[in-house]
Amino acid sequence: MALRLPWKVQAAAMGLPLVVLLPLLHGNRLLAPTDGPILANLPDAPRVADPDIAHGVFNDAILQLLPWEAEVRRGFSAGHLPLWSDLLDGGSSPWVNPQAAVLSPIAMLGRLLPLEHFLLGTLAVKILLAFEGCWLLARVLGARRFTAALGAGAFALGGPIMAWAVFPLSSVVAWSPWLALGTVRVIRKPLPREVAAAALVFAALLLSGHPEIALAECLVAAGFGMIAWRRRGRALRRLAGAALAAILGASLAACSLLPFLLVAPHSLRASHAAEVIAAPRSPRSPRATTAPAPAFNWFPAGQERLLLTALNPWSFGRPFHETFSGPGNWPIAAGGYLGLAALAGAASALVCRRWKIAWPLAALALGMLLLTAGFYPLRRLVSTLPFGRALALDRFLPAAALPLAVLAALGLDELLRSARPARPARPKWPAWPAWPSWLSWLSPSLALLAAGASLLVRHDPPLGALWLLIALSVLLARRRRSWGISLLALAALLDLASWDRDVLPRGHRELFYPQTPLVAAVAGGAAAGGGPWRAAAGGFAVYPSLLPMYGIAEVRVDNPLALGEQLRPLGEIFDFRPEGRRYKSAFRHLEHPFLDFLNVRVIVLAESDAAPPRFELIGGDPPLRVFRNPAALPRWFLPVGAEVRDRRDVLAGIRAIRDPRRVVLAREEVGRWRAPERPWSLEAVRLLRERPGAVSLALPPAGEKLLATSLPFPAGWTASAAGRALRRITVNSAYLGLVVPPGVSEVDLSFAPPGFGLGMVLSALAAAAVAMLAALSRAKRPGV
């Protein structure tokens, strides 16, 4: 079957975003959850009528995702790759963060719009991409055009995309039908063009921003490939084609994927995963040995309720209008809803004429649903994988939606089948076994059972009216097919459009990172002479990634991929432990001299928090005040000396320092080398040139020197002087230090994440291989 999108399908794909999104964007509203997080963090933000506080669960979009996106844009607009950010996390690399989506095709299209419309633009692309891919997949598996459109519409406007609309997870989900389609095509005919197309789709999915859901979608695509394997023979060729597509796709994404894989084992999230894995093996206390063993459960507490998500749009309450009553939160629990029409179709598919496709699809969907709900045998199997116990399985729910959507398309074919013989659907499959005519009555019966189950979960009048409309459309379709399918399309659109309106956030435009007096005071202090300077907030005041949106460098970390080495001294000195007992951590003990080493010039404190005596009040009104730290050190300096300790004692040495101009080194790294003692000179190091990830510094040429910096991620930095590489060491357990030989007066620093060079080479080679496959396919076409 040739993959073609009829103009009607293309028009529907482009019209769906307009129908759903335009009514939500009236007046001064944005598709961004601005109201809750901005009003909570900036007390002097503008007051607005009817603030959208309910969608505060989406606050990561404002407090993490858009700051990352802003840094990526800064890098590209400056004419270089966004390998390094001076503003976020005390210095970090957006390139190694998958959720920054640096090379995501969907994000690249969204970057054509202003930042305030980025989430809107990317969502429109996701809806279009998901609809067209799901339609083609359903058609390839035997659905008719109209029912394939209904299944695709359910997938594009349902929970898999809309519940996660402002998150990168939905970008991966939008590519999933295309990956499944590519897998099916390669399994059926492993031609060079099919392999090349599947590799491109796989690379796009890997670059789209969420590794966990990417893993789940790969499992689903493999399931579709097994379902499509209908003929015997040529097994080795088919497996080789699929493996080649996977290798080429991963290699195409290697420029971003390889640095992530090299850094991830050293990250905050990986350290927490290691703690989760090691926890059961820790010795129990005497009290624990006498406590009764917990009762065995097939599902974690309450997680089995995720199986209800497909039955009713209000299974856990009307989204963001009523109190949430399900497991997790709204995006997690709503990720599998596809609409009531799709539910009726999925139930009917169990007795459809294409049962050889429908039953495996139902098994695949059920397997993913049980995995999402934490079914014990599947959970135990996943826990045997490396870091498997740290996977957030409840985020796999959108992966179960794709087989359900295709199943719905096949079932609606049966449900809407008229009494007279219908033309055979394309593509033509091998001959099906005779279908008993007496089973035809089971199709509406199963749809009726699905309606009963849905109303048993919740039976509000609007939901009952939708089910009556669906029933009327099915009855009408058996006599007047065109009228029936039009009525069914209307029912599906009313259902999903109203549900989407509840799910999507609508923030006020004036709360999109407003310039306030508090922000102006912090920015003024950070821009003072002698910089560049960093800022921070004490306690829980001002979320860590918010200040960088105003061009203010922040020392606190707000990134699950931040290096564990960087977080250890922050936790040891300032009790800063994000993703511990609370997702956000307080920043305490600001009187410690380590704050001066970290280049923190400006501090925001709540009115109830006492400021250290050396801080100078420079602005702010209650409840937040802004202070200046006059003792902050430059970001790079020549220390007066260094203390050498065993690596296990370095943190203790940092805790014990009283003079931040003296640093701590690890004996295992420096060996017998010792930093020279020298008098303090604030002007000893001068900044010559700077851009994110590249710094040139001037130093006094006399004598050997230790150049200390508060730049984290030392493994990514390289330093040279007159073309000669300098020795790199780690100062204060996590920051870049350099041994500068005598006679050197200028040092050049540059950053590239580990594996970046090799990843670029692999991506270039894979791109050449894919181009060769495409050219080979074109050369084999008749008449070419």
Side-chain angles (χ1 to χ4, degrees), residues 666-687:
R667 180 175 284 109
E668 292 85 346
E669 186 175 12
V670 301
R672 295 185 177 181
W673 182 86
R674 294 295 180 267
E677 301 285 329
R678 60 182 303 119
W680 173 251
S681 173
L682 184 63
E683 305 295 334
V685 181
R686 293 182 295 107
L687 177 63

mmCIF file with all atom_site columns, all heavy atoms in Angstrom, residues 666-687:
data_model
loop_
_atom_site.group_PDB
_atom_site.id
_atom_site.type_symbol
_atom_site.label_atom_id
_atom_site.label_alt_id
_atom_site.label_comp_id
_atom_site.label_asym_id
_atom_site.label_entity_id
_atom_site.label_seq_id
_atom_site.pdbx_PDB_ins_code
_atom_site.Cartn_x
_atom_site.Cartn_y
_atom_site.Cartn_z
_atom_site.occupancy
_atom_site.B_iso_or_equiv
_atom_site.pdbx_formal_charge
_atom_site.auth_seq_id
_atom_site.auth_comp_id
_atom_site.auth_asym_id
_atom_site.auth_atom_id
_atom_site.pdbx_PDB_model_num
ATOM 1   N N   . ALA A 1 666 ? 41.686 17.209 46.106 1.00 0.00 ? 666 ALA A N   1
ATOM 2   C CA  . ALA A 1 666 ? 41.698 15.784 46.441 1.00 0.00 ? 666 ALA A CA  1
ATOM 3   C C   . ALA A 1 666 ? 43.089 15.220 46.223 1.00 0.00 ? 666 ALA A C   1
ATOM 4   O O   . ALA A 1 666 ? 43.682 15.378 45.141 1.00 0.00 ? 666 ALA A O   1
ATOM 5   C CB  . ALA A 1 666 ? 40.682 15.025 45.591 1.00 0.00 ? 666 ALA A CB  1
ATOM 6   N N   . ARG A 1 667 ? 43.621 14.554 47.249 1.00 0.00 ? 667 ARG A N   1
ATOM 7   C CA  . ARG A 1 667 ? 44.973 13.994 47.171 1.00 0.00 ? 667 ARG A CA  1
ATOM 8   C C   . ARG A 1 667 ? 45.078 12.970 46.053 1.00 0.00 ? 667 ARG A C   1
ATOM 9   O O   . ARG A 1 667 ? 46.109 12.889 45.371 1.00 0.00 ? 667 ARG A O   1
ATOM 10  C CB  . ARG A 1 667 ? 45.337 13.373 48.515 1.00 0.00 ? 667 ARG A CB  1
ATOM 11  C CG  . ARG A 1 667 ? 46.740 12.750 48.553 1.00 0.00 ? 667 ARG A CG  1
ATOM 12  C CD  . ARG A 1 667 ? 47.107 12.253 49.944 1.00 0.00 ? 667 ARG A CD  1
ATOM 13  N NE  . ARG A 1 667 ? 47.452 13.384 50.819 1.00 0.00 ? 667 ARG A NE  1
ATOM 14  C CZ  . ARG A 1 667 ? 46.688 13.806 51.818 1.00 0.00 ? 667 ARG A CZ  1
ATOM 15  N NH1 . ARG A 1 667 ? 45.531 13.190 52.063 1.00 0.00 ? 667 ARG A NH1 1
ATOM 16  N NH2 . ARG A 1 667 ? 47.048 14.819 52.574 1.00 0.00 ? 667 ARG A NH2 1
ATOM 17  N N   . GLU A 1 668 ? 44.047 12.174 45.823 1.00 0.00 ? 668 GLU A N   1
ATOM 18  C CA  . GLU A 1 668 ? 44.095 11.150 44.778 1.00 0.00 ? 668 GLU A CA  1
ATOM 19  C C   . GLU A 1 668 ? 44.246 11.766 43.388 1.00 0.00 ? 668 GLU A C   1
ATOM 20  O O   . GLU A 1 668 ? 44.718 11.104 42.462 1.00 0.00 ? 668 GLU A O   1
ATOM 21  C CB  . GLU A 1 668 ? 42.822 10.298 44.818 1.00 0.00 ? 668 GLU A CB  1
ATOM 22  C CG  . GLU A 1 668 ? 42.680 9.415  46.043 1.00 0.00 ? 668 GLU A CG  1
ATOM 23  C CD  . GLU A 1 668 ? 42.058 10.151 47.221 1.00 0.00 ? 668 GLU A CD  1
ATOM 24  O OE1 . GLU A 1 668 ? 41.982 11.400 47.183 1.00 0.00 ? 668 GLU A OE1 1
ATOM 25  O OE2 . GLU A 1 668 ? 41.640 9.486  48.180 1.00 0.00 ? 668 GLU A OE2 1
ATOM 26  N N   . GLU A 1 669 ? 43.851 13.020 43.235 1.00 0.00 ? 669 GLU A N   1
ATOM 27  C CA  . GLU A 1 669 ? 43.919 13.671 41.924 1.00 0.00 ? 669 GLU A CA  1
ATOM 28  C C   . GLU A 1 669 ? 45.208 14.451 41.730 1.00 0.00 ? 669 GLU A C   1
ATOM 29  O O   . GLU A 1 669 ? 45.802 14.417 40.650 1.00 0.00 ? 669 GLU A O   1
ATOM 30  C CB  . GLU A 1 669 ? 42.719 14.609 41.752 1.00 0.00 ? 669 GLU A CB  1
ATOM 31  C CG  . GLU A 1 669 ? 42.618 15.225 40.377 1.00 0.00 ? 669 GLU A CG  1
ATOM 32  C CD  . GLU A 1 669 ? 41.368 16.056 40.198 1.00 0.00 ? 669 GLU A CD  1
ATOM 33  O OE1 . GLU A 1 669 ? 40.700 16.334 41.209 1.00 0.00 ? 669 GLU A OE1 1
ATOM 34  O OE2 . GLU A 1 669 ? 41.065 16.433 39.051 1.00 0.00 ? 669 GLU A OE2 1
ATOM 35  N N   . VAL A 1 670 ? 45.673 15.156 42.748 1.00 0.00 ? 670 VAL A N   1
ATOM 36  C CA  . VAL A 1 670 ? 46.846 16.036 42.573 1.00 0.00 ? 670 VAL A CA  1
ATOM 37  C C   . VAL A 1 670 ? 48.155 15.342 42.909 1.00 0.00 ? 670 VAL A C   1
ATOM 38  O O   . VAL A 1 670 ? 49.232 15.826 42.537 1.00 0.00 ? 670 VAL A O   1
ATOM 39  C CB  . VAL A 1 670 ? 46.695 17.309 43.422 1.00 0.00 ? 670 VAL A CB  1
ATOM 40  C CG1 . VAL A 1 670 ? 45.445 18.066 43.025 1.00 0.00 ? 670 VAL A CG1 1
ATOM 41  C CG2 . VAL A 1 670 ? 46.666 16.987 44.919 1.00 0.00 ? 670 VAL A CG2 1
ATOM 42  N N   . GLY A 1 671 ? 48.105 14.202 43.611 1.00 0.00 ? 671 GLY A N   1
ATOM 43  C CA  . GLY A 1 671 ? 49.339 13.508 43.959 1.00 0.00 ? 671 GLY A CA  1
ATOM 44  C C   . GLY A 1 671 ? 50.229 14.351 44.848 1.00 0.00 ? 671 GLY A C   1
ATOM 45  O O   . GLY A 1 671 ? 49.783 14.899 45.864 1.00 0.00 ? 671 GLY A O   1
ATOM 46  N N   . ARG A 1 672 ? 51.488 14.505 44.451 1.00 0.00 ? 672 ARG A N   1
ATOM 47  C CA  . ARG A 1 672 ? 52.441 15.267 45.258 1.00 0.00 ? 672 ARG A CA  1
ATOM 48  C C   . ARG A 1 672 ? 52.468 16.754 44.897 1.00 0.00 ? 672 ARG A C   1
ATOM 49  O O   . ARG A 1 672 ? 53.172 17.528 45.550 1.00 0.00 ? 672 ARG A O   1
ATOM 50  C CB  . ARG A 1 672 ? 53.849 14.687 45.087 1.00 0.00 ? 672 ARG A CB  1
ATOM 51  C CG  . ARG A 1 672 ? 53.981 13.256 45.626 1.00 0.00 ? 672 ARG A CG  1
ATOM 52  C CD  . ARG A 1 672 ? 55.411 12.793 45.526 1.00 0.00 ? 672 ARG A CD  1
ATOM 53  N NE  . ARG A 1 672 ? 55.571 11.450 46.098 1.00 0.00 ? 672 ARG A NE  1
ATOM 54  C CZ  . ARG A 1 672 ? 56.735 10.813 46.164 1.00 0.00 ? 672 ARG A CZ  1
ATOM 55  N NH1 . ARG A 1 672 ? 57.839 11.401 45.689 1.00 0.00 ? 672 ARG A NH1 1
ATOM 56  N NH2 . ARG A 1 672 ? 56.802 9.600  46.686 1.00 0.00 ? 672 ARG A NH2 1
ATOM 57  N N   . TRP A 1 673 ? 51.729 17.111 43.877 1.00 0.00 ? 673 TRP A N   1
ATOM 58  C CA  . TRP A 1 673 ? 51.733 18.536 43.482 1.00 0.00 ? 673 TRP A CA  1
ATOM 59  C C   . TRP A 1 673 ? 51.028 19.370 44.542 1.00 0.00 ? 673 TRP A C   1
ATOM 60  O O   . TRP A 1 673 ? 50.016 18.963 45.121 1.00 0.00 ? 673 TRP A O   1
ATOM 61  C CB  . TRP A 1 673 ? 51.036 18.707 42.139 1.00 0.00 ? 673 TRP A CB  1
ATOM 62  C CG  . TRP A 1 673 ? 51.053 20.128 41.652 1.00 0.00 ? 673 TRP A CG  1
ATOM 63  C CD1 . TRP A 1 673 ? 52.041 20.737 40.946 1.00 0.00 ? 673 TRP A CD1 1
ATOM 64  C CD2 . TRP A 1 673 ? 50.028 21.106 41.845 1.00 0.00 ? 673 TRP A CD2 1
ATOM 65  N NE1 . TRP A 1 673 ? 51.709 22.039 40.672 1.00 0.00 ? 673 TRP A NE1 1
ATOM 66  C CE2 . TRP A 1 673 ? 50.480 22.301 41.220 1.00 0.00 ? 673 TRP A CE2 1
ATOM 67  C CE3 . TRP A 1 673 ? 48.797 21.104 42.474 1.00 0.00 ? 673 TRP A CE3 1
ATOM 68  C CZ2 . TRP A 1 673 ? 49.722 23.470 41.203 1.00 0.00 ? 673 TRP A CZ2 1
ATOM 69  C CZ3 . TRP A 1 673 ? 48.051 22.262 42.467 1.00 0.00 ? 673 TRP A CZ3 1
ATOM 70  C CH2 . TRP A 1 673 ? 48.512 23.434 41.850 1.00 0.00 ? 673 TRP A CH2 1
ATOM 71  N N   . ARG A 1 674 ? 51.563 20.563 44.818 1.00 0.00 ? 674 ARG A N   1
ATOM 72  C CA  . ARG A 1 674 ? 50.975 21.465 45.787 1.00 0.00 ? 674 ARG A CA  1
ATOM 73  C C   . ARG A 1 674 ? 50.819 22.854 45.173 1.00 0.00 ? 674 ARG A C   1
ATOM 74  O O   . ARG A 1 674 ? 51.739 23.332 44.473 1.00 0.00 ? 674 ARG A O   1
ATOM 75  C CB  . ARG A 1 674 ? 51.825 21.551 47.060 1.00 0.00 ? 674 ARG A CB  1
ATOM 76  C CG  . ARG A 1 674 ? 51.893 20.243 47.857 1.00 0.00 ? 674 ARG A CG  1
ATOM 77  C CD  . ARG A 1 674 ? 50.523 19.868 48.395 1.00 0.00 ? 674 ARG A CD  1
ATOM 78  N NE  . ARG A 1 674 ? 50.550 18.611 49.161 1.00 0.00 ? 674 ARG A NE  1
ATOM 79  C CZ  . ARG A 1 674 ? 50.308 17.419 48.637 1.00 0.00 ? 674 ARG A CZ  1
ATOM 80  N NH1 . ARG A 1 674 ? 50.021 17.316 47.344 1.00 0.00 ? 674 ARG A NH1 1
ATOM 81  N NH2 . ARG A 1 674 ? 50.340 16.337 49.389 1.00 0.00 ? 674 ARG A NH2 1
ATOM 82  N N   . ALA A 1 675 ? 49.700 23.462 45.441 1.00 0.00 ? 675 ALA A N   1
ATOM 83  C CA  . ALA A 1 675 ? 49.450 24.811 44.934 1.00 0.00 ? 675 ALA A CA  1
ATOM 84  C C   . ALA A 1 675 ? 50.336 25.808 45.674 1.00 0.00 ? 675 ALA A C   1
ATOM 85  O O   . ALA A 1 675 ? 50.486 25.719 46.904 1.00 0.00 ? 675 ALA A O   1
ATOM 86  C CB  . ALA A 1 675 ? 47.985 25.179 45.115 1.00 0.00 ? 675 ALA A CB  1
ATOM 87  N N   . PRO A 1 676 ? 50.930 26.750 44.957 1.00 0.00 ? 676 PRO A N   1
ATOM 88  C CA  . PRO A 1 676 ? 51.788 27.736 45.633 1.00 0.00 ? 676 PRO A CA  1
ATOM 89  C C   . PRO A 1 676 ? 50.965 28.690 46.507 1.00 0.00 ? 676 PRO A C   1
ATOM 90  O O   . PRO A 1 676 ? 49.842 29.063 46.152 1.00 0.00 ? 676 PRO A O   1
ATOM 91  C CB  . PRO A 1 676 ? 52.450 28.471 44.470 1.00 0.00 ? 676 PRO A CB  1
ATOM 92  C CG  . PRO A 1 676 ? 51.508 28.306 43.312 1.00 0.00 ? 676 PRO A CG  1
ATOM 93  C CD  . PRO A 1 676 ? 50.862 26.963 43.504 1.00 0.00 ? 676 PRO A CD  1
ATOM 94  N N   . GLU A 1 677 ? 51.520 29.063 47.639 1.00 0.00 ? 677 GLU A N   1
ATOM 95  C CA  . GLU A 1 677 ? 50.927 30.109 48.468 1.00 0.00 ? 677 GLU A CA  1
ATOM 96  C C   . GLU A 1 677 ? 51.231 31.460 47.834 1.00 0.00 ? 677 GLU A C   1
ATOM 97  O O   . GLU A 1 677 ? 52.334 31.704 47.360 1.00 0.00 ? 677 GLU A O   1
ATOM 98  C CB  . GLU A 1 677 ? 51.488 30.049 49.888 1.00 0.00 ? 677 GLU A CB  1
ATOM 99  C CG  . GLU A 1 677 ? 51.246 28.722 50.609 1.00 0.00 ? 677 GLU A CG  1
ATOM 100 C CD  . GLU A 1 677 ? 49.818 28.581 51.070 1.00 0.00 ? 677 GLU A CD  1
ATOM 101 O OE1 . GLU A 1 677 ? 49.190 29.620 51.374 1.00 0.00 ? 677 GLU A OE1 1
ATOM 102 O OE2 . GLU A 1 677 ? 49.318 27.434 51.138 1.00 0.00 ? 677 GLU A OE2 1
ATOM 103 N N   . ARG A 1 678 ? 50.245 32.358 47.832 1.00 0.00 ? 678 ARG A N   1
ATOM 104 C CA  . ARG A 1 678 ? 50.443 33.653 47.191 1.00 0.00 ? 678 ARG A CA  1
ATOM 105 C C   . ARG A 1 678 ? 49.548 34.674 47.860 1.00 0.00 ? 678 ARG A C   1
ATOM 106 O O   . ARG A 1 678 ? 48.499 34.351 48.434 1.00 0.00 ? 678 ARG A O   1
ATOM 107 C CB  . ARG A 1 678 ? 50.154 33.582 45.697 1.00 0.00 ? 678 ARG A CB  1
ATOM 108 C CG  . ARG A 1 678 ? 48.752 33.159 45.334 1.00 0.00 ? 678 ARG A CG  1
ATOM 109 C CD  . ARG A 1 678 ? 48.537 33.058 43.824 1.00 0.00 ? 678 ARG A CD  1
ATOM 110 N NE  . ARG A 1 678 ? 48.825 34.293 43.141 1.00 0.00 ? 678 ARG A NE  1
ATOM 111 C CZ  . ARG A 1 678 ? 49.770 34.424 42.208 1.00 0.00 ? 678 ARG A CZ  1
ATOM 112 N NH1 . ARG A 1 678 ? 50.494 33.374 41.852 1.00 0.00 ? 678 ARG A NH1 1
ATOM 113 N NH2 . ARG A 1 678 ? 50.001 35.571 41.623 1.00 0.00 ? 678 ARG A NH2 1
ATOM 114 N N   . PRO A 1 679 ? 49.946 35.950 47.808 1.00 0.00 ? 679 PRO A N   1
ATOM 115 C CA  . PRO A 1 679 ? 49.089 37.008 48.384 1.00 0.00 ? 679 PRO A CA  1
ATOM 116 C C   . PRO A 1 679 ? 47.826 37.189 47.544 1.00 0.00 ? 679 PRO A C   1
ATOM 117 O O   . PRO A 1 679 ? 47.815 36.925 46.341 1.00 0.00 ? 679 PRO A O   1
ATOM 118 C CB  . PRO A 1 679 ? 49.990 38.251 48.338 1.00 0.00 ? 679 PRO A CB  1
ATOM 119 C CG  . PRO A 1 679 ? 50.953 37.972 47.236 1.00 0.00 ? 679 PRO A CG  1
ATOM 120 C CD  . PRO A 1 679 ? 51.207 36.493 47.254 1.00 0.00 ? 679 PRO A CD  1
ATOM 121 N N   . TRP A 1 680 ? 46.773 37.641 48.201 1.00 0.00 ? 680 TRP A N   1
ATOM 122 C CA  . TRP A 1 680 ? 45.504 37.831 47.514 1.00 0.00 ? 680 TRP A CA  1
ATOM 123 C C   . TRP A 1 680 ? 45.531 39.077 46.653 1.00 0.00 ? 680 TRP A C   1
ATOM 124 O O   . TRP A 1 680 ? 46.001 40.144 47.057 1.00 0.00 ? 680 TRP A O   1
ATOM 125 C CB  . TRP A 1 680 ? 44.362 37.924 48.508 1.00 0.00 ? 680 TRP A CB  1
ATOM 126 C CG  . TRP A 1 680 ? 43.035 38.289 47.872 1.00 0.00 ? 680 TRP A CG  1
ATOM 127 C CD1 . TRP A 1 680 ? 42.365 39.459 47.990 1.00 0.00 ? 680 TRP A CD1 1
ATOM 128 C CD2 . TRP A 1 680 ? 42.274 37.475 46.979 1.00 0.00 ? 680 TRP A CD2 1
ATOM 129 N NE1 . TRP A 1 680 ? 41.208 39.429 47.262 1.00 0.00 ? 680 TRP A NE1 1
ATOM 130 C CE2 . TRP A 1 680 ? 41.124 38.206 46.620 1.00 0.00 ? 680 TRP A CE2 1
ATOM 131 C CE3 . TRP A 1 680 ? 42.457 36.191 46.470 1.00 0.00 ? 680 TRP A CE3 1
ATOM 132 C CZ2 . TRP A 1 680 ? 40.166 37.704 45.769 1.00 0.00 ? 680 TRP A CZ2 1
ATOM 133 C CZ3 . TRP A 1 680 ? 41.490 35.688 45.611 1.00 0.00 ? 680 TRP A CZ3 1
ATOM 134 C CH2 . TRP A 1 680 ? 40.355 36.445 45.275 1.00 0.00 ? 680 TRP A CH2 1
ATOM 135 N N   . SER A 1 681 ? 45.032 38.924 45.411 1.00 0.00 ? 681 SER A N   1
ATOM 136 C CA  . SER A 1 681 ? 44.880 40.049 44.503 1.00 0.00 ? 681 SER A CA  1
ATOM 137 C C   . SER A 1 681 ? 43.576 39.858 43.741 1.00 0.00 ? 681 SER A C   1
ATOM 138 O O   . SER A 1 681 ? 43.438 38.900 42.960 1.00 0.00 ? 681 SER A O   1
ATOM 139 C CB  . SER A 1 681 ? 46.055 40.129 43.524 1.00 0.00 ? 681 SER A CB  1
ATOM 140 O OG  . SER A 1 681 ? 45.811 41.130 42.543 1.00 0.00 ? 681 SER A OG  1
ATOM 141 N N   . LEU A 1 682 ? 42.639 40.765 43.989 1.00 0.00 ? 682 LEU A N   1
ATOM 142 C CA  . LEU A 1 682 ? 41.335 40.659 43.338 1.00 0.00 ? 682 LEU A CA  1
ATOM 143 C C   . LEU A 1 682 ? 41.444 40.848 41.832 1.00 0.00 ? 682 LEU A C   1
ATOM 144 O O   . LEU A 1 682 ? 40.663 40.281 41.067 1.00 0.00 ? 682 LEU A O   1
ATOM 145 C CB  . LEU A 1 682 ? 40.385 41.711 43.931 1.00 0.00 ? 682 LEU A CB  1
ATOM 146 C CG  . LEU A 1 682 ? 38.935 41.687 43.448 1.00 0.00 ? 682 LEU A CG  1
ATOM 147 C CD1 . LEU A 1 682 ? 38.261 40.378 43.820 1.00 0.00 ? 682 LEU A CD1 1
ATOM 148 C CD2 . LEU A 1 682 ? 38.158 42.869 44.022 1.00 0.00 ? 682 LEU A CD2 1
ATOM 149 N N   . GLU A 1 683 ? 42.437 41.617 41.382 1.00 0.00 ? 683 GLU A N   1
ATOM 150 C CA  . GLU A 1 683 ? 42.577 41.936 39.962 1.00 0.00 ? 683 GLU A CA  1
ATOM 151 C C   . GLU A 1 683 ? 43.572 41.030 39.258 1.00 0.00 ? 683 GLU A C   1
ATOM 152 O O   . GLU A 1 683 ? 43.956 41.312 38.126 1.00 0.00 ? 683 GLU A O   1
ATOM 153 C CB  . GLU A 1 683 ? 43.024 43.399 39.808 1.00 0.00 ? 683 GLU A CB  1
ATOM 154 C CG  . GLU A 1 683 ? 42.118 44.402 40.492 1.00 0.00 ? 683 GLU A CG  1
ATOM 155 C CD  . GLU A 1 683 ? 40.737 44.439 39.870 1.00 0.00 ? 683 GLU A CD  1
ATOM 156 O OE1 . GLU A 1 683 ? 40.635 44.100 38.662 1.00 0.00 ? 683 GLU A OE1 1
ATOM 157 O OE2 . GLU A 1 683 ? 39.771 44.792 40.564 1.00 0.00 ? 683 GLU A OE2 1
ATOM 158 N N   . ALA A 1 684 ? 43.985 39.930 39.910 1.00 0.00 ? 684 ALA A N   1
ATOM 159 C CA  . ALA A 1 684 ? 45.018 39.087 39.303 1.00 0.00 ? 684 ALA A CA  1
ATOM 160 C C   . ALA A 1 684 ? 44.520 38.418 38.021 1.00 0.00 ? 684 ALA A C   1
ATOM 161 O O   . ALA A 1 684 ? 45.301 38.192 37.085 1.00 0.00 ? 684 ALA A O   1
ATOM 162 C CB  . ALA A 1 684 ? 45.483 38.036 40.299 1.00 0.00 ? 684 ALA A CB  1
ATOM 163 N N   . VAL A 1 685 ? 43.250 38.095 37.964 1.00 0.00 ? 685 VAL A N   1
ATOM 164 C CA  . VAL A 1 685 ? 42.671 37.452 36.777 1.00 0.00 ? 685 VAL A CA  1
ATOM 165 C C   . VAL A 1 685 ? 41.687 38.424 36.138 1.00 0.00 ? 685 VAL A C   1
ATOM 166 O O   . VAL A 1 685 ? 40.772 38.924 36.802 1.00 0.00 ? 685 VAL A O   1
ATOM 167 C CB  . VAL A 1 685 ? 41.958 36.135 37.153 1.00 0.00 ? 685 VAL A CB  1
ATOM 168 C CG1 . VAL A 1 685 ? 41.389 35.462 35.908 1.00 0.00 ? 685 VAL A CG1 1
ATOM 169 C CG2 . VAL A 1 685 ? 42.923 35.192 37.860 1.00 0.00 ? 685 VAL A CG2 1
ATOM 170 N N   . ARG A 1 686 ? 41.872 38.700 34.849 1.00 0.00 ? 686 ARG A N   1
ATOM 171 C CA  . ARG A 1 686 ? 40.998 39.621 34.127 1.00 0.00 ? 686 ARG A CA  1
ATOM 172 C C   . ARG A 1 686 ? 40.294 38.885 32.990 1.00 0.00 ? 686 ARG A C   1
ATOM 173 O O   . ARG A 1 686 ? 40.894 38.051 32.318 1.00 0.00 ? 686 ARG A O   1
ATOM 174 C CB  . ARG A 1 686 ? 41.793 40.803 33.561 1.00 0.00 ? 686 ARG A CB  1
ATOM 175 C CG  . ARG A 1 686 ? 42.377 41.725 34.620 1.00 0.00 ? 686 ARG A CG  1
ATOM 176 C CD  . ARG A 1 686 ? 43.107 42.908 34.002 1.00 0.00 ? 686 ARG A CD  1
ATOM 177 N NE  . ARG A 1 686 ? 44.284 42.504 33.250 1.00 0.00 ? 686 ARG A NE  1
ATOM 178 C CZ  . ARG A 1 686 ? 44.372 42.507 31.919 1.00 0.00 ? 686 ARG A CZ  1
ATOM 179 N NH1 . ARG A 1 686 ? 43.323 42.901 31.186 1.00 0.00 ? 686 ARG A NH1 1
ATOM 180 N NH2 . ARG A 1 686 ? 45.478 42.119 31.312 1.00 0.00 ? 686 ARG A NH2 1
ATOM 181 N N   . LEU A 1 687 ? 39.032 39.217 32.805 1.00 0.00 ? 687 LEU A N   1
ATOM 182 C CA  . LEU A 1 687 ? 38.242 38.618 31.732 1.00 0.00 ? 687 LEU A CA  1
ATOM 183 C C   . LEU A 1 687 ? 38.516 39.368 30.439 1.00 0.00 ? 687 LEU A C   1
ATOM 184 O O   . LEU A 1 687 ? 38.315 40.578 30.352 1.00 0.00 ? 687 LEU A O   1
ATOM 185 C CB  . LEU A 1 687 ? 36.753 38.685 32.083 1.00 0.00 ? 687 LEU A CB  1
ATOM 186 C CG  . LEU A 1 687 ? 35.778 38.160 31.032 1.00 0.00 ? 687 LEU A CG  1
ATOM 187 C CD1 . LEU A 1 687 ? 35.990 36.671 30.784 1.00 0.00 ? 687 LEU A CD1 1
ATOM 188 C CD2 . LEU A 1 687 ? 34.344 38.439 31.447 1.00 0.00 ? 687 LEU A CD2 1
#
